[in-house]
Amino acid sequence: MFAGGSLQALNRLYYDVEPLFAGDRRLLIRYALFHTERQASGRRFSRQRDIDWLDWDTVTADPPDLLVSSGATNTLYEAGCDIALVPHGAGHNRFTPYFEGVAGLARGQLQSDDGRLPAFLALPGPASAERLRIDCPEALPFAEITGDLCFERLRLSTRMRREYRRALGLDPDRRLVLVASTWLGHSLFAHHPSLPERLLAALPMDDYAVAFVPHPNILAVHGGMESLFRRQLENGLIMVDPGEGWRAALLAADCIVGDHGSIGFYGAALGIPTAVAAFGFEEMPPESPLAAFGTLAPAFHAAGDLFGQIERLCDADPIRDECFSQALAEPDPGPSHRLRTGLYRTLSLDEPAGPDPRMFPPPTPVPHWRPTSAWRAEVEIDGGAAVCRRFPSDDGRRGPGHLVADVRCLDVGARDRADAIVRHHDALSDSEAQQEGLMLLDEHPLAQVASVRTGPDALAWACADGRRFRTVCDPELADAAVSVWFAAGRPDSGEWRVNGGTVSVRRIR
C-alpha cells in the first residue's frame, strides 16, 4: 500500500514508485491518505487522477503487508505493519519545525512511540546518511543509499527536451526562464510575489518565455496560484500541472530563478544556470548540500535590471560542486533498481524482471493558459532598418512604445486601450479583410489601425483616418510590421528591413 498526506508526497509514489511494480500480479497496490494538515492537496491530487484511496481508519483496521510512504511520520505505525520510506525532495536538507532534526530523518518522525523503526529507509545520497547518523542513528541498519528516483528520471528525460519545449510553444531560439518557489516565509514567493509577472513584462516575448512553478503547499498558505496569476496566464505566463508537468518544464528551461526549494537544486545539478532570489539558510544545517548550493548560486536581485540579469544568467557557466553528488547519489545500478530490490526484499518476495523507469510525458499548460495576445511594442528605426521588440502587457497599462492587441485577447482593458488591433492568425479574402478592418476600428475607438491577414505574406490595414494600406512581409513579421509603420509616423509608403526580413507598405486608398 502507498500512503501519503500531501500532493507532493503522492506525486512521488504515483509517478515514480508505482510504475516500478507494473505487471506483478502478486501485488495489490492501494492508496491511503493519512491525517495531515495538508491532506486537502492530497485529496485534490487523488480526485484529478481518479485514484481510489482508502480512509486511514480502514487501513488501521485491516493492515497491508507493507506501507510505502514518501512522507515520514510516526502516524504510519498506526497501521501495525512494516513501513518503507522514500524521499520526496532533493535530499534531506531542512529542519522540521515539529521535531529535533532534519525533515524526513528526525527521530520523532522515524520512530514510533514504542520504538519501532522503518523496515526500509531509502536515502538519496551520502549527506542523508551522515545526517541520519546525527538525528536517528537507530535507523541506520535499515537505511540504504539508493539515489533519487526523481533525479534519475530527470537525467533519463533530457533527451526529450526538444519535445517538452515544443509542447510549451517554444521556438528553438526562444529562451525559457523558469521561476520556481518553495513555500513559507523564506521563499521566493514570500519575498517577491510579483516577480513572475514582472519578468513576463520585462523580457522581449519573441526571445523569452516565462514559466512559474510554485510549490504545492503555497496553495494552503497563499491561495490558488492560477487565480492570483489569471491575467498573466491568459497573456503568456506558463504554468503547468503540478503533478508531473513541472519536471518536463524544468528540462525545457534555459535558466532558473529560484530559492532553497528542490527545483532550483535539481536544475543546478543538471547543469542549468540557476540563480536564487531568496534563500532560507535559517531552515537548514550549515553543512547541508542545500546550504552549500545557496552560497554558490548567484543572487538574483528582484529590484534590479531584470532583463540584464536574465541575459547574463542564461549565458552563465553551470555550477560545479560536490554538494550535488553528496545530496543525489548516482549509483550503478540506479535508484529505480535499488529501490525496487529493497521493497521486494522487505516483502520477502522474489524480485521479477521489472520495467525501466520512464521518461516524462510532454507538459500541458494549465487550463487558463493562453498565448500572449496583448503587448507593448518598442521600435528602433535607423534609416531603412528597424528593430521591433514586444513585451507582454496583461493589463493594458501605458508604457514605452505603443500597445497592440490581438483579436483573440480576452482582456477588455487591453483591447480598449490598444493603439493597434491585429488579426493575423488566419487569412480572410480581400473583401472580408476590408470589412473586418472597419468593424474592428468601430469596436475599438482608440485604435489607430486594424491589421488583417489576407495571405501568408500579405496584410490589409484600415486606419482610423480613412486610409487603406497593403503590406507585404514574411508571415512571422506580421505583428512587427504594423508596429514599425506605426513608430515611423504612419507614412503613406515605406520599406524596412525588420528583424532579418523585409516589410513593404503601400497606400491603396
Side-chain angles (χ1 to χ4, degrees):
M1 174 169 286
F2 294 141
S6 64
L7 182 152
Q8 63 272 26
L10 288 172
N11 186 316
R12 291 298 179 92
L13 298 171
Y14 183 78
Y15 290 115
D16 292 346
V17 181
E18 181 186 342
L20 300 179
F21 301 92
D24 190 341
R25 292 180 173 84
R26 296 173 299 171
L27 303 179
L28 174 62
I29 296 177
R30 302 294 300 273
Y31 283 83
L33 291 174
F34 56 75
H35 301 301
T36 171
E37 62 185 10
R38 295 187 297 277
Q39 192 185 72
S41 67
R43 289 178 180 270
R44 282 193 300 273
F45 182 91
S46 300
R47 286 197 302 269
Q48 291 166 357
R49 287 148 188 84
D50 197 26
I51 296 174
D52 183 18
W53 53 271
L54 300 177
D55 289 323
W56 190 241
D57 291 343
T58 302
V59 176
T60 58
D62 185 15
D65 294 296
L66 178 65
L67 196 61
V68 182
S69 179
S70 57
T73 171
N74 57 16
T75 299
L76 296 170
Y77 294 104
E78 295 174 2
C81 62
D82 281 343
I83 306 298
L85 295 177
V86 299
H88 71 255
H92 295 92
N93 290 286
R94 289 193 259 179
F95 291 121
T96 170
Y98 309 108
F99 303 99
E100 183 177 345
V102 168
L105 302 179
R107 180 179 285 109
Q109 293 177 301
L110 294 184
Q111 192 173 56
S112 69
D113 294 339
D114 59 0
R116 285 177 294 165
L117 291 161
F120 180 71
L121 175 58
L123 301 178
S128 293
E130 287 303 311
R131 189 67 207 187
L132 182 63
R133 194 179 307 276
I134 297 171
D135 289 347
C136 189
E138 303 92 326
L140 280 169
F142 311 102
E144 179 182 341
I145 297 175
T146 61
D148 182 274
L149 273 176
C150 176
F151 193 61
E152 180 183 35
R153 293 186 67 205
L154 284 166
R155 286 278 196 201
L156 291 171
S157 298
T158 55
R159 71 193 79 177
M160 289 279 288
R161 172 178 161 83
R162 293 186 304 278
E163 292 306 313
Y164 299 154
R165 290 176 57 81
R166 291 183 183 112
L168 296 175
L170 300 172
D171 295 330
D173 295 331
R174 197 172 175 215
R175 288 169 157 176
L176 176 63
V177 179
L178 186 78
V179 182
S181 178
T182 188
W183 61 307
L184 294 180
H186 299 297
S187 69
L188 179 150
F189 185 74
H191 283 274
H192 311 293
S194 64
L195 184 58
E197 62 194 83
R198 291 177 55 230
L199 280 169
L200 184 72
L203 301 177
M205 58 185 273
D206 297 307
D207 301 319
Y208 291 90
V210 178
F212 180 40
V213 182
H215 192 285
N217 286 352
I218 293 180
L219 180 66
V221 179
H222 299 285
M225 291 293 98
E226 291 183 48
S227 176
L228 286 179
F229 290 94
R230 179 70 175 263
R231 297 185 73 153
Q232 291 79 28
L233 283 172
E234 291 181 347
N235 204 40
L237 178 67
I238 297 171
M239 290 180 68
V240 294
D241 171 64
E244 190 89 308
W246 67 267
R247 301 193 268 194
L250 170 62
L251 293 175
D254 294 278
C255 73
I256 301 167
V257 179
D259 52 21
H260 55 290
S262 292
I263 292 179
F265 192 88
Y266 278 134
L270 291 165
I272 302 171
T274 303
V276 293
F279 209 85
F281 287 104
E282 301 89 337
E283 297 184 23
M284 64 200 72
E287 73 278 6
S288 70
L290 188 60
F293 163 66
T295 63
L296 293 168
F300 189 88
H301 301 286
D305 173 16
L306 301 184
F307 182 24
Q309 289 183 89
I310 290 297
E311 281 193 308
R312 291 190 294 273
L313 181 59
C314 284
D315 295 329
D317 293 330
I319 300 170
R320 306 290 188 192
D321 192 79
E322 65 174 9
C323 67
F324 301 120
S325 60
Q326 286 297 305
L328 306 168
E330 296 185 67
D332 184 19
S336 56
H337 175 87
R338 289 173 181 266
L339 179 62
R340 193 170 184 270
T341 298
L343 293 178
Y344 272 110
R345 182 175 65 244
T346 307
L347 284 166
S348 299
L349 289 176
D350 293 333
E351 181 183 358
D356 293 325
R358 302 184 68 80
M359 292 183 285
F360 309 120
T364 302
V366 295
H368 294 314
W369 180 84
R370 296 173 64 87
T372 302
S373 58
W375 60 87
R376 290 185 301 103
E378 296 182 13
V379 179
E380 296 179 6
I381 299 177
D382 183 8
V387 175
C388 177
R389 296 197 305 174
R390 301 188 297 154
F391 303 84
S393 179
D394 61 84
D395 57 6
R397 286 181 292 188
R398 289 291 174 177
H402 53 274
L403 185 63
V404 183
D406 188 276
V407 293
R408 293 170 293 184
C409 176
L410 302 181
D411 192 291
V412 174
R415 292 179 70 138
D416 285 349
R417 296 182 182 94
D419 300 294
I421 301 293
V422 300
R423 189 190 187 283
H424 294 160
H425 56 280
D426 60 10
L428 300 179
S429 67
D430 287 341
S431 60
E432 287 179 310
Q434 290 180 20
Q435 186 66 27
E436 180 70 15
L438 292 175
M439 289 191 292
L440 288 173
L441 290 174
D442 184 59
E443 293 163 352
H444 302 86
L446 293 184
Q448 299 299 304
V449 60
S451 176
V452 181
R453 183 182 296 280
T454 58
D457 59 356
L459 307 172
W461 293 351
C463 297
D465 60 14
R467 291 182 295 167
R468 304 286 183 271
F469 292 85
R470 180 172 177 79
T471 298
V472 177
C473 63
D474 294 335
E476 62 271 18
L477 294 179
D479 294 334
V482 67
S483 293
V484 170
W485 174 81
F486 200 94
R490 291 172 278 178
D492 279 349
S493 63
E495 184 169 300
W496 300 272
R497 289 288 298 171
V498 180
N499 299 354
T502 302
V503 171
S504 178
V505 177
R506 106 183 136 81
R507 183 176 176 178
I508 58 175
R509 175 178 166 188

